[in-house]
Amino acid sequence: KNEVEQSPQNLTAQEGEFITINCSYSVGISALHWLQQHPGGGIVSLFMLSSGKKKHGRLIATINIQEKHSSLHITASHPRDSAVYICAVEVSGGGADGLTFGKGTHLIIQP
Amino acid sequence: GAGVSQSPRYKVAKRGQDVALRCDPISGHVSLFWYQQALGQGPEFLTYFQNEAQLDKSGLPSDRFFAERPEGSVSTLKIQRTQQEDSAVYLCASSLDPESNQPQHFGDGTRLSIL
C-alpha cells in the first residue's frame, strides 16, 4: 500500500467548476506539499503546510493532521489549471530525507 | 532570479552506456535532492545532499547509480551500464536549508530514454 494516496486519479471538469483533489497518508509527517506538474515535467510548489488552511489566489489547501488527510481546492477553474497535481509528504521520525509522493491527479479543465 | 537548472533536458542512450545528469541548484541552497519519475507515476526519492555531504542515498535503486556534489553546489547523477528500466524523468530539487521549513524548488527534469 502506498504511503500517500490521491483521489481521483483523473478528473475532467468544465471551466468555472469548483475542484477538489484529496490526499490521504498513512505515516507521521512533519509537512505536506501540494505540487503542480505541467506536461514537459516542470514541477511548481503550490503549498507547504503542517496544519490548518492556506489560500493563494483561487487555490486553497487544507490539512487535518488527526485524520491524516489533505485537500486541494480550485475555485472558478480555468483551462490553464489543467495539469497533474501531486501531494507529497515529509515523513517525520527518520527515514528518507526527501519527499514521499502520491501518484498525482491528472486534471483537465475544458472550456 | 534563476531557478534550479538541469541538463541535458533530454538524453537518449543505448543500453549499457554510462550517462551523467547535471543539476545546478539555486545559489545558496544547502539541500539538494534527486528524484526519479517513471511514466505515469509520482516521483520517487533517490538521494539527498546537505552541502557536499550525501546524507541519504537510500533511494538509489542499484550500485549502478552514483551521485556527487563535490563543492556543495552543482550535483551530478551518474548511471553506469544503463538498462531500459532506467528510462524515466530525473528531477532535481533544492531548498534553502533543512532548518528553515522552506519548500523545495524543482528543476524541469532530464528525460532519459534507454534504447
Side-chain angles (χ1 to χ4, degrees), chain B residues 62-99:
Chain B
S62 77
D63 59 6
R64 297 186 295 104
F65 286 70
F66 172 77
E68 60 182 4
R69 193 185 185 198
E71 298 180 359
S73 177
V74 171
S75 178
T76 303
L77 176 67
K78 298 179 180 178
I79 309 174
Q80 298 175 322
R81 304 181 304 281
T82 52
Q83 303 293 317
Q84 284 191 322
E85 62 262 28
D86 300 334
S87 297
V89 174
Y90 290 85
L91 294 162
C92 176
S94 70
S95 65
L96 189 59
D97 72 70
E99 306 301 326

Side-chain angles (χ1 to χ4, degrees), chain B residues 11-68:
Chain B
K11 176 69 178 177
V12 179
K14 292 183 179 179
R15 187 175 52 160
Q17 288 184 330
D18 298 348
V19 298
L21 312 180
R22 177 186 170 107
C23 173
D24 281 88
I26 293 173
S27 178
H29 277 198
V30 169
S31 298
L32 185 146
F33 304 83
W34 282 100
Y35 297 96
Q36 179 191 58
Q37 185 175 24
L39 188 64
Q41 302 295 314
E44 292 190 355
F45 170 79
L46 292 177
T47 188
Y48 164 63
F49 288 87
Q50 193 175 116
N51 294 308
E52 70 279 3
Q54 189 175 19
L55 297 188
D56 189 342
K57 54 182 180 179
S58 62
L60 296 177
S62 77
D63 59 6
R64 297 186 295 104
F65 286 70
F66 172 77
E68 60 182 4

